[in-house]
Amino acid sequence: VQLVESGGGLVQAGGSLRLSCAASGNMFSINAMGWYRQAPGKQRELVAAITSGGGRTNYTDSVKGRFTISTDNAKNTMYLQMNSLKPKETAVYYCDAEACYGGRFFDVAWGRGTQVTVSS
């Protein structure tokens, strides 16, 4: 499985961006996908996740009501619509694909990331 992110850039505080994660390869074993972000000097954190087919979504508290995760299975693409962006959300955003075995999720692949910079 290969993942490629796009859509990052520079935006003013309060603005919006839509990130895309294009997946290729054998997606048969993938049960969920997610968006993570890593700011300079900080640990990578989960932003949002979605199960295959889009049945369930999960968001970190700080983005609830502002970010929306979605998938287009026909295009093998996952999206993250980000609204009302804040300067503290400046980070490299990564997507990942996960498989579920024995009730636990394991990372199968990561993208290389896309930079999001929010100016004040």
Side-chain angles (χ1 to χ4, degrees):
V1 175
Q2 294 80 42
L3 305 174
V4 179
E5 302 96 335
S6 61
L10 174 64
V11 64
Q12 288 188 333
S16 298
L17 282 175
R18 189 176 80 154
L19 305 183
S20 299
C21 173
S24 60
N26 186 355
M27 298 291 290
F28 181 77
S29 64
I30 303 304
N31 301 110
M33 296 184 71
W35 286 100
Y36 290 74
R37 64 188 176 193
Q38 188 167 19
K42 295 189 176 181
Q43 289 187 330
R44 190 173 298 189
E45 64 170 348
L46 174 67
V47 177
I50 188 167
T51 55
S52 296
R56 288 192 302 169
T57 59
N58 181 43
Y59 298 91
T60 191
D61 286 345
S62 64
V63 308
K64 287 180 180 177
R66 298 186 297 118
F67 289 13
T68 303
I69 189 171
S70 62
T71 58
D72 183 334
N73 291 331
K75 296 182 178 180
N76 276 349
T77 301
M78 177 177 65
Y79 303 98
L80 185 67
Q81 177 67 42
M82 306 186 294
N83 299 327
S84 302
L85 281 160
K86 304 174 182 180
K88 65 180 181 180
E89 294 177 314
T90 293
V92 178
Y93 284 69
Y94 300 89
C95 65
D96 89 321
E98 301 179 9
C100 182
Y101 299 105
R104 296 180 60 187
F105 285 88
F106 297 88
D107 294 320
V108 173
W110 285 92
R112 292 187 175 184
T114 185
Q115 176 71 45
V116 171
T117 302
V118 185
S119 64
S120 58

